[in-house]
Amino acid sequence: MTETKANAPVGVFDSGLGGLTVVREIMRQLPEEDIVYFGDTARVPYGSKSKDTIIYFSRQIVHFLRTKDVKAIVVACNTASALALEEIKDEIDLPMIGVVKPGALAAAKATQTGKVGVIGTQATVSSGIYAKVLSEIDPKITVTGKACPLFVPMVEEQMMDHPVMMEMIDYYLSSLRQSEVDALVLGCTHYPLLRKQIHQYLGESITLVNPAYETAMGLKELLEEQGLRNTQKKQAAADLYVSDLPDRFKEFANSILPLDIDRVKMVNVEQY
């Protein structure tokens, strides 16, 4: 692979703000890689939409990212990874990685009881994608899924430390605390921002699996395999694009990313 191709940015997309947790992990694990990120803030949430709609949206975003000459694409959205990744992967000549498989592999390693919990959007949980991938890794693993739809708006309102958050966690996760589940996949990109609160609620007996971290490590492996790893020692750049509310997005990005974002650009993704 040419040096020029290795110097190209990595494309990352999500339905909104949550995929920034994946960007944060990529920046930590692959600090030399430039990133082009698209958050579909005009059409969020994806979790309540149909499979056909999610494939349609994802295809538009991939077309947009390709105009930025990216060398690989990370689907930093559990819902799009579950419902659109396999469909789109065969349509383009770029390596693509989603968040589901890396998260499932980590959960399979973490569980001792063979009982894994998955929390996510309604679409991710209903798709059964984690159960499918985990059964391919180890047919003896059983999966308990729980949709937690109100976690996303609360994270986006930055209410992680609000007392109501712990009430929501208890409402959704009390049954898991009573179960034999010993590994829990944070199956939505917003949920790593609740890691502290969920850990506090569930205690030490349940290992939390963060697919954002696992995806960054999977991307590292993928780029090395394909000869696409950027080996230049430099300060990486991040270009952030959204379909709506750039100022709000910029504020959120600056609260979680390890660099200063001075501008977020708005793009009409419908034209791609």
Side-chain angles (χ1 to χ4, degrees), residues 16-17 20 37 41 158 238 240-242 244-257 259-266:
L17 304 168
L20 291 174
Y37 180 90
T41 45
Q158 301 199 43
L240 306 186
Y241 296 85
V242 292
D244 200 13
L245 302 171
D247 291 340
R248 182 167 177 238
F249 190 89
K250 185 178 90 166
E251 183 186 338
F252 192 87
N254 279 317
S255 74
I256 71 165
L257 294 183
L259 51 79
D260 286 332
I261 304 296
D262 57 8
R263 186 170 170 230
V264 173
K265 288 158 262 193
M266 198 159 112

Side-chain angles (χ1 to χ4, degrees), residues 52-244:
D52 286 348
T53 297
I54 290 158
I55 291 170
Y56 176 68
F57 288 174
S58 300
R59 198 174 271 134
Q60 287 180 327
I61 296 165
V62 167
H63 290 164
F64 164 70
L65 289 173
R66 295 200 69 180
T67 69
K68 301 299 173 187
D69 295 323
V70 297
K71 63 184 175 185
I73 293 178
V74 179
V75 185
C77 171
N78 281 267
T79 303
S81 293
L83 302 180
L85 176 63
E86 290 306 315
E87 188 104 9
I88 293 172
K89 197 163 67 171
D90 298 332
E91 300 173 1
I92 64 167
D93 56 354
L94 289 175
M96 281 183 83
I97 183 173
V99 287
V100 171
K101 196 166 183 186
L105 283 164
K109 282 183 195 162
T111 184
Q112 300 295 310
T113 63
K115 297 185 189 308
V116 172
V118 175
I119 54 175
T121 65
Q122 191 62 59
T124 299
V125 172
S126 298
S127 75
I129 187 70
Y130 275 100
K132 178 176 178 288
V133 175
L134 278 160
S135 73
E136 287 165 4
I137 298 165
D138 181 349
K140 295 190 292 296
I141 291 175
T142 59
V143 174
T144 302
K146 183 72 183 173
C148 307
L150 290 177
F151 283 1
V152 169
M154 293 191 74
V155 167
E156 296 205 347
E157 292 299 327
Q158 301 199 43
M159 292 175 70
M160 289 82 83
D161 293 315
H162 194 284
V164 172
M165 193 72 247
M166 291 311 288
E167 289 180 29
M168 281 292 106
I169 288 170
D170 178 58
Y171 174 73
Y172 286 127
L173 304 187
S174 59
S175 58
L176 281 175
R177 192 158 68 165
Q178 310 305 322
S179 72
E180 291 176 34
V181 162
D182 70 342
L184 179 66
V185 178
L186 304 177
C188 171
T189 48
H190 287 71
Y191 297 0
L193 297 170
L194 293 171
R195 188 187 179 100
K196 180 182 76 176
Q197 292 84 352
I198 293 171
H199 178 71
Q200 182 185 328
Y201 179 76
L202 293 176
E204 300 293 334
S205 61
I206 298 182
T207 301
L208 300 186
V209 174
N210 178 3
Y213 168 78
E214 305 300 337
T215 301
M217 298 309 287
L219 175 65
K220 188 177 190 176
E221 201 175 298
L222 180 66
L223 294 179
E224 282 170 356
E225 277 171 11
Q226 304 261 347
L228 290 171
R229 182 91 186 267
N230 192 339
T231 53
Q232 292 189 340
K233 299 292 178 204
K234 62 177 181 58
Q235 175 62 50
D239 285 333
L240 306 186
Y241 296 85
V242 292
S243 49
D244 200 13

